Amino acid sequence: MDIKNHIAKVFSFVNDELLKEIVLYASEKHFPANTELVKEGHFVKVLPLVLNGLVKVFTKHEDKELLLYYITQGETCIMSFASAINDEPSQIYAITEEDTHVILVPVDKLKQWVKTYPEFNALLYRQYNVRYHDLMDTIHLVLFNKMEHRLYKYLIEKSERLKSNYLKISHKQIASELGTAREVISRVMKKIEQEGLVKQEGNSILILNR
C-alpha cells in the first residue's frame, strides 16, 4: 500500500485537499522500539501521527516515571500538540514501545491546518477528550487504588496495546512506569500470581484468565 492510501485508510476523516498537503509537507518515518520521539524540556518541532505501532507517553522525576497514556494507530500526542501550538517546551516524554510507523507534521503546517481544515481540528478534539479520561483514570488509580489493582490494570492495558498475553518486561521497568520501587512490584506481582492472574517466567509475564 502506498503512503497516500495508507494515510487515507488510517485517518479516514482526511479529505483530498488535506491528504495532498500531508503527503507534500509531512515526512514519513519508521522508528524502532525504544526510540525517543519527544523529550521533556525540548521544543516540539513535529507532531507524530501514528500509522502503525505503539508509543508510550510519560512524565519523569529523578529515576521514576509515571505512564500517562499510550498512542496507537490513528492517534496523536495531544500534549505534544499543546506544546507545539503554544511554542512551549514539552512537559512529557514520548518513546516508541514497539516498531512504529508515523507521519511527522511540521509545526508551521500544524498551525495552518488547524485554522484551515475542520476535519483536522475534529481529530484533535477527540484526542483531547480521550486523553482527559486517560489522565483522570491515572489520577484515580494513583490516589485511590491498591497497588495490586494498579499493577494488574497496567499489565492488561499493555497486553491489549501489544495484542499479546505474553509480555517481556522486567519488574524494574514496571516500577519505573508506575512510579514506585522494584521491591514493591516484585512483592505485588507474587501476590497476583498466587491469585492466578499472571504467571512469571524470568523477565516475562503471561497474563492469565483474560
Side-chain angles (χ1 to χ4, degrees), residues 5-48:
N5 288 334
H6 196 172
I7 295 170
K9 182 178 180 181
V10 173
F11 296 96
S12 57
F13 68 89
V14 173
N15 61 29
D16 289 341
E17 186 177 352
L18 178 55
L19 181 58
K20 290 177 184 178
E21 292 266 301
I22 292 174
V23 172
L24 183 61
Y25 295 108
S27 57
E28 175 195 7
K29 296 286 185 181
H30 290 266
F31 294 104
N34 300 315
T35 300
E36 188 174 67
L37 301 183
V38 180
K39 187 172 183 177
E40 186 179 36
H42 288 209
F43 285 89
V44 176
K45 302 298 184 183
V46 291
L47 181 72

Side-chain angles (χ1 to χ4, degrees), residues 143-182:
L143 293 179
F144 305 120
N145 290 97
K146 294 181 179 180
M147 179 54 71
E148 52 260 41
H149 180 77
R150 286 183 61 200
L151 174 58
Y152 188 61
K153 188 175 188 301
Y154 163 88
L155 294 173
I156 289 294
E157 183 177 7
K158 187 175 284 288
S159 173
E160 289 173 348
R161 294 288 186 176
L162 294 174
K163 298 180 175 61
S164 173
N165 285 355
Y166 193 76
L167 303 177
K168 191 170 181 60
I169 187 170
S170 67
H171 290 187
K172 182 179 180 180
Q173 182 182 341
I174 296 171
S176 178
E177 294 190 7
L178 291 181
T180 188
R182 180 189 59 78

Side-chain angles (χ1 to χ4, degrees), residues 192-208:
I192 65 174
E193 183 175 31
Q194 290 172 343
E195 293 172 356
L197 299 176
V198 301
K199 181 179 180 182
Q200 299 183 85
E201 300 173 356
N203 274 350
S204 298
I205 300 166
L206 178 64
I207 311 297
L208 304 173

